[in-house]
Amino acid sequence: MQDIIDVSPILVFGATGAIGEAACREIKKNNGKLILSSSSRSKNINKLSKELSSPSITCDLIKNFDKNKLSAEIGKYTDTLGGIIISVARPFPHKLIHNTDEKVLIEQLNTQIVALHRIIKTCMPYLEVARKFCTPRIVYISTEYIIGSPPIKIGPYLAAKSAANTYAKVLAKELLNKGIKVFIIAPGMVRSKLTANLPEEYLMQIESKLPKKSLTTVAEISKAISIIMKGSLDGAYGNTIQISNAERR
């Protein structure tokens, strides 16, 4: 191995996304050890890795996934993982679901449920070793739109998130006797790559209807993730934790 991390680090999938990056910064601010992961080598992942003094790996979780390669990449830096954060997403066209091409639905299912399964299968040995030193924690980033009545025009994304949400809930039960805790965060809408193609006027209309007149911020979400990783919210394992500025019903 090279540049070995001497404390079980947290591996962040989707480290260059809005929520993933904010989580990395918050955890690093609290002296946490990180390994950053991105789907491809880019200026963004290189810049973030340098800025946070944390190693980075690349992994295509869909088209060219190789479990052994991902495991080898992780193994360059550590034998154990104190936790993993899964915040992966793929842009999608905002159409009515019955007008959506089938390949979009397949892409979203692959990005959420299939990728999640591949991550868990690959990272489990590293999490199990870490039990000697800590309570390993898995955080899956879902969406508040799986709670209550879902909006239109994001059906494939929500269907995929719902499947992954159920997977995470079952996983939480299965891993509890292994000493590994699974958490599900359901954030409200944030400004990100997924919402970048939405008109600003539309986002402002949404904000105007919210109690605080603002969308959920990545800072609010990242602080919740940090609290979980510190072990201060262990009683909430397996539940869908809403972090949102939306009105409560």
Side-chain angles (χ1 to χ4, degrees):
M1 293 190 298
Q2 58 187 22
D3 299 324
I4 297 174
I5 300 173
D6 57 1
V7 177
S8 298
I10 296 169
L11 174 55
V12 184
F13 289 92
T16 57
I19 294 174
E21 180 176 339
C24 289
R25 293 186 183 279
E26 185 68 25
I27 290 169
K28 192 67 177 182
K29 186 173 72 175
N30 291 293
N31 300 315
K33 300 293 185 180
L34 294 167
I35 298 176
L36 316 180
S37 177
S38 179
S39 60
S40 62
R41 183 59 57 187
S42 66
K43 291 181 179 178
N44 289 339
I45 192 68
N46 290 338
K47 179 181 177 183
L48 188 63
S49 177
K50 183 177 180 180
E51 200 173 323
L52 299 183
S53 299
S54 300
S56 64
I57 62 175
T58 58
C59 176
D60 184 339
L61 292 165
I62 308 302
K63 294 181 180 179
N64 301 303
F65 178 72
D66 184 330
K67 180 178 180 290
N68 293 330
K69 182 179 178 182
L70 174 56
S71 183
E73 285 290 301
I74 298 169
K76 289 179 182 178
Y77 303 106
T78 185
D79 292 322
T80 70
L81 287 173
I84 54 176
I85 298 169
I86 303 137
S87 182
V88 296
R90 177 186 293 268
F92 53 89
H94 291 79
K95 293 183 177 181
L96 296 173
I97 194 166
H98 67 277
N99 287 333
T100 300
D101 193 290
E102 180 181 298
K103 69 177 183 179
V104 174
L105 182 59
I106 293 172
E107 285 176 351
Q108 290 300 315
L109 287 168
N110 284 338
T111 300
Q112 298 301 327
I113 187 71
V114 175
L116 174 58
H117 185 61
R118 287 171 170 173
I119 288 169
I120 297 302
K121 291 278 284 184
T122 307
C123 294
M124 189 56 62
Y126 294 93
L127 295 166
E128 289 179 328
V129 172
R131 290 178 304 173
K132 300 174 184 177
F133 317 106
C134 64
T135 298
R137 297 176 179 87
I138 299 169
V139 175
Y140 175 69
I141 306 300
S142 184
T143 170
E144 71 168 352
Y145 289 136
I146 64 167
I147 303 171
S149 179
I152 63 173
K153 294 191 176 182
I154 58 173
Y157 173 75
L158 294 185
K161 280 290 188 184
S162 294
N165 212 78
T166 300
Y167 180 106
K169 285 190 172 185
V170 173
L171 188 68
K173 292 182 178 181
E174 292 180 350
L175 297 188
L176 188 60
N177 63 359
K178 287 180 174 286
I180 300 170
K181 295 206 168 186
V182 179
F183 300 82
I184 305 159
I185 288 186
M189 181 184 287
V190 301
R191 280 179 164 76
S192 67
K193 294 175 184 176
L194 285 181
T195 60
N197 62 339
L198 295 175
E200 180 62 23
E201 183 179 349
Y202 172 71
L203 295 177
M204 291 177 68
Q205 286 177 353
I206 293 177
E207 286 182 322
S208 69
K209 297 175 183 177
L210 299 176
K212 291 175 64 177
K213 308 300 180 187
S214 65
L215 297 177
T216 307
T217 67
V218 292
E220 291 167 327
I221 300 164
S222 64
K223 286 176 182 176
I225 294 171
S226 179
I227 289 170
I228 287 171
M229 286 303 184
K230 289 177 184 176
S232 300
L233 205 58
D234 274 0
Y237 80 92
N239 287 329
T240 303
I241 306 168
Q242 186 179 17
I243 305 295
S244 168
N245 285 329
E247 183 178 358
R248 300 299 191 263
R249 294 183 179 140

